[in-house]
């Protein structure tokens, strides 16, 4: 299975109290690593010359092909964690946006768009009509004021080429004119709390596994990536359970060195409940 991931790989500066850790990050980074367990992954990204080459080599060591389009700067975020699931973001620098003509024309079994700083233009989604397209909306909603990242409202109609969409519960409130029945799958995660999923307009509630973790960086990116893979192999409900179990295991270990048998065993304990259509609350 050949998978394309598009988005900025970032230079992350993670602050937890007085402790500082620097490394590669961004939605494309975590999605690619998760998919590398299942797919031949190609990442299309833009970074500056000062971006540490060793961080990109870590991806290549996992069998991931990295296509780099040079940029004057790299996208650099400072992440201030106040708890394992709460953080504020500062954008220190930003790599160039993608142009539609820079997106690969080759055929892929899955295309995952995971921007972090509005680097993918909205009209570029038309390049992927008719393809198996999955999107994390985080980077489409972000705007910067005094270096701080905040969310803006956006009309959800641009997402119509997508098969699968992911947002967290806060991001979902900024998707205007969103009609879940118009999409095959809409995933709305809520950290360690119960999340919501829509499948062909039907509403489901799922409960993630509760694990003691140090940080949640990459959780949504991993969840979307592996759900998109599992959904091609399993039923919707089983894919949702497996994706939750996989993400919980990643957060617990902070690496991907674990077996699918372990994931399948944990998936047995994920609760998924369909909400009857007549009882379901309207979106938003």
């Amino acid at each position: 299975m050949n998978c394309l991931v598009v988005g900025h790989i970032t230079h992350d500066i993670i602050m937890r109290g007085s402790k500082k850790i620097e490394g590669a990050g961004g939605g494309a980074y975590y999605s690619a690593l998760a998919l590398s367990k299942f797919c031949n992954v190609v990442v299309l990204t833009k970074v500056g010359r000062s971006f540490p080459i060793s961080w990109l080599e870590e991806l290549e060591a996992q069998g991931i092909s990295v296509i780099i389009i040079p940029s004057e700067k790299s996208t650099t975020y400072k992440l201030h964690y106040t708890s394992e699931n709460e953080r504020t973001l500062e954008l220190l620098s930003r790599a160039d946006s993608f142009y539609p003509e820079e997106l690969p024309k080759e055929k892929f079994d899955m295309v995952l768009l995971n921007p972090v700083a509005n680097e993918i233009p909205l009209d570029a989604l038309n390049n992927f009509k008719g393809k198996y397209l999955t999107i994390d909306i985080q980077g489409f909603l972000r705007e910067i004021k005094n270096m701080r990242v905040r969310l803006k409202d956006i009309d959800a109609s641009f997402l119509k080429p997508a098969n699968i969409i992911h947002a967290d519960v806060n991001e979902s409130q900024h998707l205007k004119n969103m009609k879940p029945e118009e999409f095959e799958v809409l995933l709305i995660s809520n950290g360690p709390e119960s999340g919501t999923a829509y499948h062909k307009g039907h509403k489901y509630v799922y409960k993630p596994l509760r694990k003691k973790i140090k940080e949640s960086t990459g959780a949504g990116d991993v969840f979307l990536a592996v759900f998109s893979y599992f959904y091609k192999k399993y039923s919707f409900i089983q894919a949702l359970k497996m994706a939750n179990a996989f993400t919980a295991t990643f957060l617990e270990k902070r690496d991907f060195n674990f077996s699918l048998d372990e994931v399948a065993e944990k998936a047995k304990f994920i609760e998924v409940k369909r909400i009857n259509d007549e009882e379901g609350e309207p979106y938003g």
Side-chain angles (χ1 to χ4, degrees), residues 66-271:
V66 183
I67 300 174
I68 300 171
I69 299 175
S71 174
E72 181 180 348
K73 299 178 181 179
S74 299
T75 297
T76 303
Y77 273 109
K78 182 178 281 189
L79 299 82
H80 299 265
Y81 273 90
T82 55
S83 71
E84 63 269 20
N85 290 299
E86 295 181 358
R87 68 187 187 186
T88 59
L89 295 178
E90 287 184 78
L91 182 64
L92 305 184
S93 63
R94 181 183 179 278
D96 298 334
S97 296
F98 294 98
Y99 294 102
E101 58 268 25
E102 293 176 326
L103 300 174
K105 302 294 191 296
E106 297 97 316
K107 180 177 175 61
F108 289 89
D109 300 300
M110 178 197 304
V111 177
L112 193 158
L113 305 183
N114 203 339
V116 291
N118 282 293
E119 66 266 31
I120 300 176
L122 302 187
D123 59 359
L125 273 63
N126 293 322
N127 289 31
F128 303 109
K129 281 184 177 179
K131 294 181 171 61
Y132 184 61
L133 178 62
T134 179
I135 297 175
D136 195 298
I137 60 93
Q138 60 178 341
F140 292 107
L141 299 178
R142 290 177 178 176
E143 63 179 7
I144 311 302
K145 188 170 184 179
N146 298 325
M147 296 175 62
R148 293 281 181 171
V149 177
R150 65 182 187 182
L151 301 180
K152 63 182 179 182
D153 292 348
I154 192 168
D155 191 297
S157 60
F158 81 97
L159 293 167
K160 287 185 178 179
N163 300 88
I164 301 170
I165 300 161
H166 171 257
D168 71 24
V169 68
N170 294 320
E171 293 162 348
S172 70
Q173 304 305 310
H174 294 270
L175 289 173
K176 301 307 176 185
N177 302 315
M178 169 59 83
K179 299 177 181 178
E181 66 273 12
E182 293 182 346
F183 300 93
E184 190 168 350
V185 176
L186 171 63
L187 305 171
I188 303 175
S189 57
N190 191 19
E193 305 302 325
S194 294
T196 305
Y198 294 87
H199 180 231
K200 299 180 179 178
H202 299 296
K203 183 178 180 180
Y204 297 79
V205 173
Y206 64 89
K207 293 184 179 180
L209 288 176
R210 286 188 171 271
K211 294 288 183 180
K212 183 67 175 177
I213 63 173
K214 294 181 179 180
E215 64 173 275
S216 59
T217 305
D221 310 311
V222 170
F223 176 57
L224 171 63
V226 296
F227 173 85
S228 300
Y229 171 78
F230 289 136
Y231 183 60
K232 288 181 76 71
K233 293 180 64 69
Y234 305 121
S235 68
F236 168 76
I237 290 178
Q238 186 61 17
L240 193 57
K241 289 184 175 185
M242 289 287 286
N244 270 282
F246 188 103
T247 305
T249 307
F250 159 71
L251 291 175
E252 187 178 17
K253 298 176 182 290
R254 292 305 304 182
D255 63 43
F256 296 96
N257 295 319
F258 50 84
S259 70
L260 277 187
D261 288 341
E262 182 178 353
V263 172
E265 185 62 29
K266 290 179 179 176
K268 297 175 183 178
F269 300 97
I270 304 290
E271 297 180 38

